[in-house]
Amino acid sequence: MERNIEKKQVVITGGAQGIGFSTAEKFLEKGARLVIILDIDEKQGQASAETLKSKYGEGRAEFYKCDITSDLDPVTNTIFDKHGFIDVLVNNAGICNEYMLRKTIEVNVTAVMEWSIRFFDRTRKDKGGNGGTVINIASQYGFRVDQFMPIYQGSKFAVIGFTRSFGHSYRYKKYGVRVVAVCPGATRTKLSTKTKMNDDPSVQKDFEEMLKTETWQEVEAVSNVIAYVFENADSGTAWLSEDSKPAKEV
Ligand SMILES: *[C@@H]1O[C@H](CO)[C@@H](O)[C@H](O)[C@H]1NC(C)=O
């Protein structure tokens, strides 16, 4: 049941565009009952929700403006009051700014943990919930290391470590909440084109050379993997999505 997206109610953070929006479409195509997209960008969020409604049906998409670092309480209370329960949370929102270390960790790590825990509290089966699935979007650099962008790599390792422990089979058996991670490789999004590192020009140059050797995939490759992972992954596992290839457990 938990691995069939049909009739499920899904929340996606950072859902207005990129990987988040593509995942919204994928889940609706596969029969999700409702996809709620959250985003800090109100204009894009509303426009994206309208696109989803006209493509998949009026009642099947909603948008809430949300800063995931400050709006956890009001937004989750509104959603749970209105819809009763949520089956799937996709923690996809991120910011890209190596110059703002604390803010980036707050968005990319702290908020991912806080939102996962809130969803867990509301869905755990031992407290009367229906169970559910959390999908955390990390990165290939959540399990691989190179010499570029240490803050990025450290933060994504944190997300994978958290996912493996929070979703551990021990906990899954007790609580019935599945937690998994997806690790995209080089993917063309608005954020990926904005990537700036805080390093010497010579390192910056080597980094740019390295980027040229990457095979870039489109967001649809990642949302395909996310759907596969939803349908197949055991709790506590992490999956790579790179070079437009099928999901691979890591
Ligand atoms: C935060 O997450 C976004 C989206 O995955 C990414 O583009 C950005 O580089 C990340 N930054 C860090 C420091 O993890």
Side-chain angles (χ1 to χ4, degrees), residues 19 92-98 100-101 104-105 107-109 137-139 149-156 184 189 191-192 195:
I19 293 171
N92 162 74
I95 57 165
C96 187
N97 194 333
E98 292 270 314
M100 287 165 59
L101 173 55
T104 306
I105 299 298
V107 174
N108 284 20
V109 182
I137 309 304
S139 161
M149 302 214 295
I151 298 161
Y152 178 76
Q153 305 194 2
S155 76
K156 297 295 179 183
T189 66
L191 284 186
S192 70
T195 300

